[in-house]
Amino acid sequence: ALFFAIRGQAAWAGLAVGLATAFHIIVGGWACLALFASMALNRRFFTLRQLLTFLLATGPFILPVVLAMGLFHLGAPAGADTARMDKIYVLFAMPHCCDPARFMSPTRWPPTIAVLTLTPLLIFFWPERRAARILSGFIAVLVGLFCIGIGAWQREMFWLLKLYPFQLAKSLPLLFFFVFCVAYLRPSRPQQRLATIAWVLALAIGVWQIDRKNMTATLIEWPEQFITEFQAFTSRGVRTRGNQKLYRWIRENTPRDSVFITPLITEFWASAERAQVVSFGHPPLNHHILDWEERLIALNRSQAFSKRGFRIRESFEENENSLDVSQLLSIQERYGATHYLTTRQRKDLEPSLLFAAGSYHVYDVGSLKRRLSQHTECGG
């Protein structure tokens, strides 16, 4: 889309960014907004008719996705719970993309700020005015949107954070490197010494960003990694023999309508083919996320969380492994739990043990209620 934009082909730019938005409404949507804003700010190169052409070209791709996602996210929420839905979404459901605290460590801020500040200035020195202004405008708008997102984070505006892909922040240097490559694809090459230095500097920074995680070694190891991942996929996502044995036993020895209390295992539903009291793979993104949070707290022994997202894993698994009989029966009554999966052997639940493989143990929740009733009758 950027390449078409700097060539003045508004219709093709709209089609390209519209297709990107159809693939990912959040990422593509912000890119579409940034590109349109850059074109609108550079009215010297784009007429009103071209801007309208751009919008008409994106419409067939964007409108159906926007309407579908709007219905999916809203899902008839109860008025006062809307703000709580957004907060749960940001802090627990999708923290990897919309909570800066999830990934923006102090060491990442200096290079991010440097790139956000210097890149628009370096691009502006590009000798061809159309490319320089459109690309620098695009980057400047992205930087502005990023700053708005940071402000929303500080103000806890979760409704906006819910729609902002902060996960892309660490990828911005590579995006800007790509923008320089787009500029270089133009027929004219940089003739001014300053522009040449700027482009060489950008190229060096881009290569460093790509290779700082030892990209060469990664490419060499990639075939082996691909085979490993493919084998895991064809084995129903199983990563260890213990898991494979566990999932096979569950599929073959438990009713298909069983509901499991489980630790934080993202592939459980796909591998064991059984429901969970709390789904960790894909939490609901509509008003059902309120019930999801309540279930999460129930498995945490009704204790509030002090951390966010997957950072709750350590304390959550400790509490999930320590659920007592009364808590298990309460979860059974509220959510229909039939089985209890732990990564710790429970001596107090030994009579209800159904299966053990490696560090995993499966207990029958239904038998706990029967045992408790028998114990009460005997005590009476």
Side-chain angles (χ1 to χ4, degrees):
L2 280 169
F3 179 71
F4 289 127
I6 64 177
R7 296 184 64 178
Q9 298 175 325
W12 284 105
L15 288 172
V17 79
L19 186 61
T21 307
F23 275 103
H24 199 298
I25 181 63
I26 300 296
V27 178
W30 287 109
C32 181
L33 176 62
L35 183 56
F36 178 77
S38 176
M39 295 168 62
L41 290 172
N42 287 283
R43 290 296 303 279
R44 177 182 175 183
F45 304 109
F46 293 96
T47 64
L48 179 60
R49 182 177 179 178
Q50 286 178 305
L51 294 177
L52 292 176
T53 300
F54 176 87
L55 293 177
L56 289 174
T58 62
F61 295 96
I62 293 178
L63 289 179
V65 183
V66 169
L67 291 175
M69 291 298 292
L71 293 174
F72 184 69
H73 278 275
L74 293 177
D81 287 330
T82 303
R84 184 162 153 247
M85 283 173 53
D86 295 334
K87 183 176 181 179
I88 298 169
Y89 182 96
V90 171
L91 301 185
F92 290 100
M94 299 292 175
H96 63 282
C97 62
C98 48
D99 180 10
R102 173 70 171 80
F103 58 86
M104 288 299 284
S105 62
T107 57
R108 279 187 176 149
W109 278 108
T112 300
I113 293 173
V115 170
L116 294 179
T117 305
L118 295 177
T119 304
L121 296 176
L122 291 174
I123 295 178
F124 194 76
F125 285 116
W126 197 258
E128 189 178 34
R129 290 296 87 194
R130 177 192 289 271
R133 291 184 180 274
I134 294 173
L135 294 176
S136 59
F138 177 76
I139 296 300
V141 173
L142 278 183
V143 172
L145 295 175
F146 180 81
C147 293
I148 290 174
I150 294 297
W153 171 41
Q154 296 295 329
R155 302 288 298 177
E156 294 189 351
M157 300 169 64
F158 295 108
W159 61 272
L160 180 57
L161 294 176
K162 181 179 179 181
L163 301 174
Y164 197 94
F166 271 112
Q167 185 183 17
L168 295 179
K170 56 188 177 183
S171 301
L172 285 178
L174 292 179
L175 171 64
F176 297 164
F177 170 65
F178 165 77
V179 169
F180 271 94
C181 292
V182 170
Y184 190 70
L185 290 175
R186 297 292 294 146
S188 61
R189 298 293 185 263
Q191 301 299 324
Q192 301 175 6
R193 179 175 298 180
L194 184 59
T196 303
I197 294 174
W199 195 88
V200 171
L201 178 62
L203 179 64
I205 293 175
V207 171
W208 172 74
Q209 285 285 335
I210 293 174
D211 199 57
R212 63 177 179 168
K213 293 185 177 179
N214 202 355
M215 183 64 71
T216 305
T218 301
L219 290 175
I220 293 174
E221 297 170 0
W222 182 81
E224 182 181 351
Q225 293 177 351
F226 176 80
I227 293 174
T228 301
E229 291 297 326
F230 181 77
Q231 290 175 341
F233 175 78
T234 55
S235 301
R236 300 175 181 269
V238 174
R239 293 182 174 85
T240 65
R241 292 184 178 179
N243 286 9
Q244 186 175 15
K245 189 176 181 180
L246 168 70
Y247 296 142
R248 185 185 300 113
W249 182 89
I250 291 175
R251 293 193 302 269
E252 295 175 354
N253 295 276
T254 63
R256 294 191 64 83
D257 60 352
S258 300
V259 180
F260 278 73
I261 301 170
T262 71
L264 207 160
I265 306 175
T266 56
E267 78 276 4
F268 180 87
W269 180 84
S271 300
E273 300 178 6
R274 297 295 183 268
Q276 296 166 269
V277 173
V278 177
S279 171
F280 300 104
H282 294 281
L285 304 182
N286 55 14
H287 67 282
H288 292 296
I289 200 170
L290 300 173
D291 177 57
W292 179 80
E293 184 197 33
E294 292 176 358
R295 291 168 179 253
L296 200 64
I297 292 174
L299 267 62
N300 198 49
R301 302 190 70 186
S302 300
Q303 298 181 19
F305 296 100
S306 59
K307 297 183 179 180
R308 304 175 178 182
F310 284 104
R311 293 178 180 175
I312 71 170
R313 178 185 294 272
E314 184 176 351
S315 60
F316 177 81
E317 292 190 347
E318 173 64 28
N319 288 324
E320 190 272 343
N321 280 327
S322 305
L323 291 169
D324 59 33
V325 174
S326 62
Q327 292 167 333
L328 290 170
L329 294 179
S330 174
I331 294 171
Q332 179 195 41
E333 183 176 351
R334 293 170 63 185
Y335 305 118
T338 59
H339 296 80
Y340 177 35
L341 174 63
T342 72
T343 56
R344 178 189 302 163
Q345 186 175 5
R346 293 282 299 272
K347 295 294 185 181
D348 56 325
L349 304 179
E350 194 68 29
S352 299
L353 179 65
L354 297 175
F355 178 79
S359 60
Y360 290 107
H361 300 78
V362 179
Y363 298 93
D364 182 8
V365 177
S367 69
L368 294 177
K369 188 172 184 178
R370 294 191 294 271
R371 283 178 48 224
L372 184 63
S373 299
Q374 294 172 358
H375 178 74
T376 303
E377 292 175 358
C378 292

